[in-house]
Amino acid sequence: MNATFGTGDFLHYNAQYKLLICLECKYAIQKNAVRSHLLRHKIYRGERQRLLSAISTLELAEPDDVQFPSTRREPVKGLPVIKGYRCTAIGCGSLYASFKRMRGHWTESHGLGNNLPEGFACAVDLQTFFRGTKLRYFEVTREASLVENQPQQQKGLVSMPSCAMFSSNPGLDIDLEKLRYFHHFTSTTSLTLPVGISNLTNYWQTDVISRALHLRWLMFGLLSISASHLAVLSGDETVKRTHRERSAQYRQGFLAGWTGSTAGDDTDVLGMGVRVTSIQRCCMWTSTSIPLQSFVTTINGYTDPNSISMKSNDTPSDTPTTNQLLSSNNSIRTDIPKAALLEHFYNLPYRMAEKLGKPSVPTDFMAIMSAISALIECCPQFYEANDPETLWMAMQEWLKRVSGRFTQMLTIEKHPATLIVFAQWQLLVARAERDCWFLRGMATRMLCRVIGELDENRASRSLIEESMGWALEST
């Protein structure tokens, strides 16, 4: 039960949360700080011992053990109510007391800082139990007379009524889950996707969305991408799993509709379908095995509306057995200086010649050397790019520059030399992952795939270990 202590009853024990709240200081006192807190209020000797004796009978929770309210509730007695903000991104709901911290949250957690979507946060009333540098807030109902720290309304925020729960109405049939995913796509995900063509602007925000409102299968495609994006953003494994399941369901609806679509002569719609499939595949391949040929085809065909093969339901194949170079604790470094990486690429032909010898077929030798030269030429683009569009185009550029013979040796013949060069490309792909959320983990998985293909080739595997080991980091 709740109780009060001290002269003037300035200490209040909240039995629900197992906290001792100082009504004068307006925060909960940590268990190991009760004695010093009483001294701060100039309570000495006899009275202090009496209070400490009474308080010792109470069950006080440590800060990390306090069960914060998970839903909006009435304010806790003795704690000030302050104005703050709640993130409106689907599956998030993070709470902050300042606009600056909310903006920082969108930069760190949602990958957006400069171009925040409309309605990215809503104004709410907050409380916190403790004071300190790592504050945790919970949302409470509005009590105007208690509210402190009234902030000015900021652009991009929505008012409290906009954040209220929808009331049920049996006369309406609204799928709120699909609406939430669609809202997340329009407000957030659409701003993070590349077009692949430099002269197109607002492609995902206007062109694709307007078509999706009339094409059910295309809408399912956008919902699938939105769900995958939320899975990447979430730090909770249960929430991630839910979003991935929804993404898979929506993807099936997209594939079924697109395969049976009669819009084959509409190159704009066909191009949208190709791009949606490409993003979906990348999302799928960051958590499953990656078919080498399909990966190359997907990146190459992102802007090609005639890539009819993109309409097939590509099921990932099993990944070959790999050695221990890549483990669950390794990832590709992204902090390698450009000069060091260029030097690595320049030395690659000599190291390959030492391990593998010179290819016996001149055309094969030229294809491999040309691909390495393209790596050197494309490298600066990855270091200069700082947005999803230019990074994606830099990825495409290398695949466009390699010869058809190189692609055939890589995807069909699985020639060891081409696999080794392809592995070096992953050092650049890893840099693209920083701004392209749908590629996160892709480079490491592709490198794992290459190692698996080379598992029986000792010389090639040895070269991979030597040339790539320095570029891996433990996570």
Side-chain angles (χ1 to χ4, degrees), residues 316-355:
S317 59
D318 294 332
T319 303
T321 303
T322 66
N323 60 14
Q324 297 302 313
L325 176 61
L326 281 181
S327 69
S328 59
N329 295 322
N330 283 336
S331 62
I332 297 178
R333 290 173 52 191
T334 58
D335 60 346
I336 303 171
K338 181 172 67 173
L341 194 55
L342 283 172
E343 182 180 5
H344 172 70
F345 290 155
Y346 278 120
N347 293 331
L348 185 60
Y350 306 103
R351 304 182 72 176
M352 291 176 64
E354 292 174 358
K355 292 286 185 180

Side-chain angles (χ1 to χ4, degrees), residues 96-138:
Y96 294 93
S98 71
F99 179 78
K100 180 179 179 181
R101 289 190 177 276
M102 178 56 73
R103 179 179 287 277
H105 162 73
W106 270 84
T107 300
E108 296 173 6
S109 301
H110 303 309
L112 294 174
N114 296 325
N115 298 312
L116 293 178
E118 189 66 26
F120 65 90
C122 63
V124 293
D125 297 318
L126 305 174
Q127 283 187 313
T128 184
F129 290 122
F130 301 99
R131 297 286 175 87
T133 56
K134 297 182 179 180
L135 296 178
R136 292 174 57 196
Y137 296 98
F138 54 93

Side-chain angles (χ1 to χ4, degrees), residues 398-413:
W398 183 74
L399 289 176
K400 289 179 180 178
R401 290 196 181 199
V402 300
S403 66
R405 175 54 186 156
F406 179 88
T407 301
Q408 181 183 15
M409 293 167 66
L410 171 68
T411 59
I412 299 176
E413 301 174 16

Side-chain angles (χ1 to χ4, degrees), residues 59 175 222 289 415:
E59 182 182 0
D175 190 329
L222 303 192
S289 58
H415 191 288

Side-chain angles (χ1 to χ4, degrees), residues 51-267:
L51 284 174
L52 289 173
S53 177
I55 293 170
S56 66
T57 64
L58 304 175
E59 182 182 0
L60 296 181
E62 297 290 349
D64 292 340
D65 297 329
V66 176
Q67 297 296 316
F68 276 61
S70 58
T71 58
R72 195 160 167 251
R73 52 145 300 147
E74 293 183 358
V76 175
K77 177 183 176 181
L79 302 178
V81 178
I82 63 174
K83 294 296 293 181
Y85 309 104
R86 169 156 49 85
C87 177
T88 57
I90 298 175
C92 185
S94 296
L95 302 170
Y96 294 93
S98 71
F99 179 78
K100 180 179 179 181
R101 289 190 177 276
M102 178 56 73
R103 179 179 287 277
H105 162 73
W106 270 84
T107 300
E108 296 173 6
S109 301
H110 303 309
L112 294 174
N114 296 325
N115 298 312
L116 293 178
E118 189 66 26
F120 65 90
C122 63
V124 293
D125 297 318
L126 305 174
Q127 283 187 313
T128 184
F129 290 122
F130 301 99
R131 297 286 175 87
T133 56
K134 297 182 179 180
L135 296 178
R136 292 174 57 196
Y137 296 98
F138 54 93
E139 188 177 346
V140 297
T141 55
R142 183 180 297 271
E143 287 197 5
S145 61
L146 298 177
V147 175
E148 301 178 2
N149 186 33
Q150 297 278 356
Q152 294 182 351
Q153 185 72 12
Q154 300 280 355
K155 181 180 179 181
L157 299 177
V158 294
S159 60
M160 280 297 294
S162 300
C163 290
M165 296 295 292
F166 289 101
S167 59
S168 60
N169 188 330
L172 297 176
D173 182 18
I174 299 177
D175 190 329
L176 294 183
E177 182 179 72
K178 290 187 178 68
L179 284 178
R180 292 189 184 101
Y181 282 123
F182 182 62
H183 169 71
H184 182 75
F185 183 88
T186 58
S187 64
T188 305
T189 306
S190 62
L191 303 175
T192 69
L193 300 177
V195 180
I197 301 177
S198 57
N199 61 349
L200 288 181
T201 58
N202 299 322
Y203 176 80
W204 289 101
Q205 298 94 321
T206 55
D207 298 8
V208 177
I209 289 176
S210 63
R211 289 297 188 107
L213 291 173
H214 300 282
L215 296 171
R216 181 182 177 86
W217 59 268
L218 184 57
M219 177 61 73
F220 274 126
L222 303 192
L223 296 180
S224 175
I225 294 175
S226 178
S228 293
H229 189 204
L230 284 166
V232 171
L233 296 177
S234 176
D236 185 287
E237 287 302 321
T238 301
V239 175
K240 280 180 179 290
R241 191 182 310 112
T242 299
H243 288 315
R244 286 169 181 161
E245 291 173 354
R246 295 293 182 271
S247 178
Q249 292 171 2
Y250 295 143
R251 183 171 184 267
Q252 291 303 314
F254 164 77
L255 290 172
W258 190 29
T259 303
S261 173
T262 59
D265 296 331
D266 191 332
T267 57

